[in-house]
Amino acid sequence: MEEAGRDRTGCENLQRALSECHQRFGPGATRDAACRHLNRALAECLVSFVCPEESEAVRTLCGSGGTRLKRSQCQQAQLSLSFCISSHQPD
């Protein structure tokens, strides 16, 4: 994730914190519970880096309930984000 000493994604601190959390807690339910928030935050950070427009659309349209139109737009945004993520995965 790091290139020439620079964090290209803006997620380096979260990655470091998650790594430290994994070092503090052994494998299992305790680690899962203790590190869950860091794992989620890092995942969201990386997805926002790879698919910025799509992830912003999901945050905006899916943040709360709403009309049928808004729910439909949320669903479309989620599909677009899923497609974007899939397009960046190796075959």
Side-chain angles (χ1 to χ4, degrees):
M1 191 176 345
E2 198 172 294
E3 181 176 307
R6 294 183 59 224
D7 179 16
R8 298 179 330 125
T9 65
C11 304
E12 182 182 57
N13 289 339
L14 288 168
Q15 183 183 19
R16 187 177 306 113
L18 180 60
S19 179
E20 290 171 2
C21 187
H22 276 234
Q23 290 171 1
R24 277 193 299 271
F25 299 96
T30 302
R31 176 194 282 176
D32 293 345
C35 302
R36 178 179 293 126
H37 67 289
L38 293 169
N39 191 46
R40 180 183 175 113
L42 178 58
E44 289 176 0
C45 184
L46 292 170
V47 168
S48 293
F49 176 76
V50 173
C51 302
E53 294 86 11
E54 295 85 353
S55 60
E56 180 60 27
V58 168
R59 265 192 299 280
T60 301
L61 295 168
C62 304
S64 63
T67 64
R68 183 180 301 170
L69 175 61
K70 187 173 179 187
R71 288 190 302 270
S72 175
Q73 290 171 331
C74 169
Q75 187 175 33
Q76 182 59 46
Q78 289 172 327
L79 288 171
S80 294
L81 179 59
S82 179
F83 179 77
C84 179
I85 293 168
S86 294
S87 73
H88 287 87
Q89 293 178 336
D91 292 328

